[in-house]
Amino acid sequence: MNRRELLAVAAALGLVPGLARAQGADAATLARDAWLFALPWIEMATTRARVFKRGARPNRIYHRRKLSDHTDRSVTTPNNDTLYSLAWIDLTQGPVTLTIPASGQRYVSAAILNMFTDNDVVLGTRVNGGAGGDFTVVGPSQTATGDRVVRVLTPHAWILIRTLVDGPDDLAAARKVQSGFKVSGPKAERPPAYLERDADPAAYFATARALLAADPPRPEDAAFIQRSAGLLTDGPFDAAALAAGVAQARAVAKLASGRVAFVNGWSYPKPNLGYHGVDYGYRAIVALQGLGALPVAEAMYMKAAGDNNSGLFNGDGLYRLTLPAQLPLDGFWSLSMYEATADGQYFFTDNPIDRYAIGDRTPGLKRNADGTLDLWISRSDPGGERSVNWLPAPKAGPFSMTLRTYLPRADLLEGRFRFDPIVKV
């Protein structure tokens, strides 16, 4: 990639609303922006296909009965705090009913994401307290009555449910609550298979057009689609410009994690996480690096700056994170460890103590005399009293860490509270 192309990539990291709405953009720029615009549909379809390949069907719920570990590679940056349940729903045949159990003091959330990855609603502890109930989920043009009707902006959607596990001894009780989540609806056929993001440019956009036809974007997106020179509709396009633009788009996706703005060692989510509007660039990067992310009122995800503000750690030494005695949140917190893949995704890493995250429910953590907590991060056991507070890093290769805080309070949401950085000891 030459200097001009690199400059274009750098500019695209701040993609929209500026560039994506620019008049008179050249063909390669249009291809770049259109590739990123369509990426959420592609990633959702890819994730759905992986589930259906294992025998799942639409409008049925599937419960994962164990916490995610290093063997789970279907969704990037999973958590190790909650049991996941999921359903891919098809509303083209009629409404679907989502049953939420009474959960008491246990945190639960049921996020319903449309096919361009916005959270149309998040039900559960924050919204409904510990009460349960039946909710009617309807598509964009369907009608329903009652005070528990939830509207989704696309005919197909993803219900992603999280049930908190309060430590190893709580797994059986958590599973009992998890079993209370149910989905029922009309019988629907599995959708056709779609190509993935590594498809050649022409095939990628053919797939994108099919996905957008099945699950149309919002009216606010019409202006951008009109300027996509037929890529997102059905017009012809210059092959050379198409290839150049897609190469830039893939570079944007690969470099994005290194262009994050860090504050005192952490990146903080944008306020529109989970409700992206016309911020297509941010939406694309979230789809690639954190598909299914909750909105900030539900949870805040902070990524550590890593070595040299790259978002990745490469060192073989010892790192430390010090947390205050009290954090400004009403839920729970955890620090997760991920190995980084070449295409910009993150998964748990195998380790000798089967610890993929460390948090407020980790048994045996040792606090300092003033109540603060030192967490130790390294590839090998730091030894002594530090071992109980150890988060293992991969045996080799770059790694990333994400700090999750659930039900954050205003001080955290509004930036008055900031975490200390992870430091190399």
Side-chain angles (χ1 to χ4, degrees), residues 64-147:
R64 287 186 54 83
R65 298 299 191 178
K66 68 181 186 70
L67 295 173
S68 295
D69 59 21
H70 66 283
T71 64
D72 297 308
R73 299 271 162 159
S74 59
V75 179
T76 184
T77 56
N79 79 55
N80 187 246
D81 305 305
T82 68
L83 296 173
Y84 282 111
S85 303
L86 62 89
W88 288 95
I89 60 174
D90 182 341
L91 300 167
T92 61
Q93 305 303 310
V96 165
T97 299
L98 168 63
T99 299
I100 297 179
S103 58
Q105 298 300 310
R106 183 185 304 277
Y107 173 86
V108 299
S109 64
I112 307 180
L113 292 90
N114 57 49
M115 291 302 286
F116 47 86
T117 71
D118 277 2
N119 289 260
D120 282 333
V121 68
V122 182
L123 303 170
T125 299
R126 181 178 63 86
V127 175
N128 312 106
D134 292 334
F135 295 83
T136 302
V137 185
V138 299
S141 60
Q142 294 169 343
T143 59
T145 59
D147 58 358

Side-chain angles (χ1 to χ4, degrees), residues 102-423:
S103 58
Q105 298 300 310
R106 183 185 304 277
Y107 173 86
V108 299
S109 64
I112 307 180
L113 292 90
N114 57 49
M115 291 302 286
F116 47 86
T117 71
D118 277 2
N119 289 260
D120 282 333
V121 68
V122 182
L123 303 170
T125 299
R126 181 178 63 86
V127 175
N128 312 106
D134 292 334
F135 295 83
T136 302
V137 185
V138 299
S141 60
Q142 294 169 343
T143 59
T145 59
D147 58 358
R148 289 186 170 179
V149 175
V150 175
R151 185 167 300 282
V152 183
L153 295 183
T154 52
H156 303 88
W158 186 21
I159 301 178
L160 184 57
I161 296 166
R162 297 165 172 90
T163 302
L164 178 65
V165 178
D166 193 14
D169 296 335
D170 184 52
L171 185 57
R175 287 171 174 164
K176 185 175 180 180
V177 173
Q178 180 192 33
S179 296
F181 286 97
K182 301 181 187 300
V183 170
S184 60
K187 184 178 180 181
E189 297 299 321
R190 293 190 185 99
Y194 293 97
L195 297 178
E196 300 185 13
R197 66 175 178 275
D198 59 356
D200 70 78
Y204 177 94
F205 283 110
T207 295
R209 290 191 290 271
L211 287 168
L212 268 65
D215 290 286
R218 301 161 310 152
E220 298 94 309
D221 300 328
F224 172 78
I225 292 173
Q226 186 177 7
R227 295 189 187 107
S228 72
L231 285 170
L232 300 175
T233 53
D234 57 1
F237 206 82
D238 177 77
L242 186 65
V246 170
Q248 290 182 19
R250 287 173 173 159
V252 168
K254 185 175 182 179
L255 294 175
S257 61
R259 300 282 298 193
V260 172
F262 294 102
V263 178
N264 198 32
W266 296 95
S267 69
Y268 290 82
K270 296 173 70 171
N272 62 327
L273 177 65
Y275 304 109
H276 304 101
V278 296
D279 196 348
Y280 307 137
Y282 186 49
R283 184 179 71 178
I285 299 309
V286 171
L288 181 63
Q289 298 184 354
L291 187 69
L294 290 165
V296 295
E298 196 76 28
M300 289 183 67
Y301 310 89
M302 281 68 66
K303 184 174 182 178
D307 300 324
N308 304 315
N309 282 342
S310 65
L312 295 174
F313 295 84
N314 295 287
D316 294 328
L318 181 65
Y319 297 85
R320 183 187 68 233
L321 171 61
T322 300
L323 296 174
Q326 298 292 330
L327 294 178
L329 51 90
D330 293 318
F332 55 98
W333 65 267
S334 67
L335 179 70
S336 298
M337 170 65 65
Y338 300 105
E339 57 185 54
T341 66
D343 61 351
Q345 297 199 303
Y346 302 92
F347 301 104
F348 289 132
T349 187
D350 193 12
N351 66 87
I353 61 172
D354 296 329
R355 179 176 286 177
Y356 308 99
I358 193 167
D360 57 354
R361 290 142 294 111
T362 302
L365 293 183
K366 182 177 177 61
R367 288 186 175 270
N368 302 319
D370 61 357
T372 59
L373 183 65
D374 289 330
L375 304 180
W376 302 96
I377 302 105
S378 58
R379 299 189 193 277
S380 58
D381 189 335
E385 293 186 347
R386 295 173 174 176
S387 293
V388 295
N389 292 8
W390 175 42
L391 180 61
K395 296 175 182 177
F399 56 94
S400 171
M401 283 178 276
T402 296
L403 182 61
R404 289 176 168 83
T405 57
Y406 285 77
L407 306 183
R409 295 176 184 166
D411 281 353
L412 184 51
L413 283 167
E414 297 169 10
R416 292 187 293 273
F417 173 86
R418 297 298 192 187
F419 288 94
D420 289 337
I422 295 174
V423 296

